[in-house]
Amino acid sequence: MDRLIVAVSERALPADDCVRHLADAGFGTFEFFSFPTWDDAEPLLFERSVSLIIMDVSVEGTSEAVAMLKNDDMFSHVPTLAVIAESDAASIERVSEIGFDAWIPVKAVDAAETLLPVALRPLIAGFQRVASLLQKTSELQEAGIKDFILLDLIKDYIPKTIWDIAQQFAHEQKIAIPEEEMDLTIVFADLKGFTPMTQHMAPREVIQTLNSVFAVASRIVYEFDGDIDKFLGDAFFAVFSDATRAVKAMVRLQLELAEMNDTRRTEGLPTVEFRIGMHSGPVIRGNVGGNHRFDNTLIGDTVNTASRLEALAPPGGIMISEETRARVGTPLPSTTMQRVPIRGRDEEITVYSLPPRRNTKPNDATT
């Protein structure tokens, strides 16, 4: 189907010559329709796909018509070309204010047949400028969509904390994330005996099992305002700013995992159990890596101690340091206090073993 040019002008426009010279200029075949008023032309815009709209600025209602075109998603991409009486600065400024994409002087329309090839050059040039503008706009839109998809993909692969910081710094036009000292509760959770279990599983089954467990862990961590800093094979490393919510989250996780294991047993599947260690204290968030790859991570004795406590926790249980227990705002359920040696420390530390209770409601886990 031929492309469509719609003109709105009280003067007769050389339609055939316009179409011919556009074709000669390499724009392909067009149909040309001319109307004396915008009201006459408007119905055709809803019936056919329009490639170019030419409007005489002297026609009543031109400004309103262009405003409608530019604000309507159906027509905002269609180039608009103004026919002006004089190509002086004031006239050109006016058509720009109205919102036209390009302009052509009326004398080019009134030119004699012998001058048409020359006279229509502004029209062709205007059409080329508009086409170039639309192409650039399309490329920018496509690039914007790709960037949006890329960012949406990346967002799921980095900690929420880092994403939020990066967004803030990008808004402030800062190009580096600085080191930051903070006080946090660190959680390490590792699936007990998972590696030997995978010897009898296909790789796809391993991923499916991990994802089913980590889906529960992720949901609970974020529900209690935490953030998963890393997945480490069959383990994860999470952070909380509130120790009470951190403990509640991990008790909830152990309870839900116990319920999941009931289902897995009935289906003849092996059970999965987390060992969890928790410690609270000062850490530093910093950038680690080289020029081509950085990791923004948490470093410090608090992180190391939480990892050591996870190794001491029983399967299905939670090992909490004295520092974390002191920050919990509500009494903990029955715990076992003990002194344990920690690799890298000269003295033993006080820890509390918190086994999950199947009859405890998740929201009341620390009450």
Side-chain angles (χ1 to χ4, degrees), residues 93-272:
E93 182 179 359
R94 179 169 177 256
V95 299
S96 297
E97 290 175 352
I98 291 174
F100 281 100
D101 297 303
W103 56 271
I104 179 175
V106 70
K107 61 184 179 182
V109 178
D110 292 335
E113 172 67 23
T114 55
L115 297 178
L116 269 175
V118 176
L120 283 176
R121 284 177 185 170
L123 172 62
I124 295 171
F127 196 87
Q128 286 175 322
R129 288 197 299 271
V130 173
S132 175
L133 175 63
L134 290 176
Q135 177 65 27
K136 290 179 181 178
T137 301
S138 176
E139 290 172 356
L140 287 172
Q141 288 175 336
E142 183 178 354
I145 292 171
K146 288 180 179 178
D147 287 345
F148 177 82
I149 294 173
L150 177 62
L151 290 175
D152 200 48
L153 284 171
I154 292 174
K155 183 178 180 180
D156 291 335
Y157 287 85
I158 63 175
K160 182 179 182 299
T161 303
I162 301 302
W163 177 262
D164 292 342
I165 294 173
Q167 279 193 310
Q168 176 189 340
F169 276 56
H171 178 72
E172 297 173 356
Q173 298 186 358
K174 297 178 181 178
I175 60 174
I177 299 176
E179 295 179 352
E180 180 183 5
E181 294 185 14
M182 53 189 67
D183 195 276
L184 297 171
T185 294
I186 305 297
V187 174
F188 273 88
D190 180 71
L191 286 174
K192 168 251 180 184
F194 187 77
T195 301
M197 183 196 309
T198 61
Q199 297 177 14
H200 309 289
M201 301 169 67
R204 189 176 298 276
E205 290 180 282
V206 175
I207 293 296
Q208 289 174 343
T209 302
L210 283 175
N211 284 340
S212 66
V213 175
F214 286 150
V216 175
S218 298
R219 171 175 54 79
I220 293 172
V221 167
Y222 288 106
E223 183 179 335
F224 282 84
D225 305 319
D227 188 21
I228 292 184
D229 192 83
K230 288 180 181 63
F231 289 105
L232 306 163
D234 58 0
F236 71 84
F237 163 23
V239 297
F240 293 81
S241 58
D242 186 309
T244 300
R245 296 189 67 75
V247 172
K248 285 186 175 183
M250 292 305 100
V251 172
R252 167 82 71 85
L253 174 58
Q254 294 291 45
L255 289 168
E256 290 202 17
L257 207 59
E259 293 172 0
M260 177 187 289
N261 281 329
D262 288 341
T263 302
R264 292 180 66 85
R265 289 188 189 95
T266 61
E267 296 175 352
L269 298 173
T271 58
V272 287

Side-chain angles (χ1 to χ4, degrees), residues 27-82:
F27 290 107
T29 306
F30 288 86
E31 286 187 275
F32 193 108
F33 289 86
S34 183
F35 301 91
T37 69
W38 172 251
D39 289 340
D40 295 325
E42 190 173 11
L44 184 61
L45 271 62
F46 292 93
E47 297 173 4
R48 298 278 300 276
S49 178
V50 181
S51 298
L52 174 66
I53 297 174
I54 304 173
M55 299 184 70
D56 191 329
V57 294
S58 64
V59 174
E60 184 178 355
T62 297
S63 299
E64 293 79 2
V66 174
M68 184 279 289
L69 291 169
K70 296 305 179 184
N71 291 319
D72 191 317
D73 291 339
M74 185 175 179
F75 305 112
S76 59
H77 66 284
V78 179
T80 53
L81 195 65

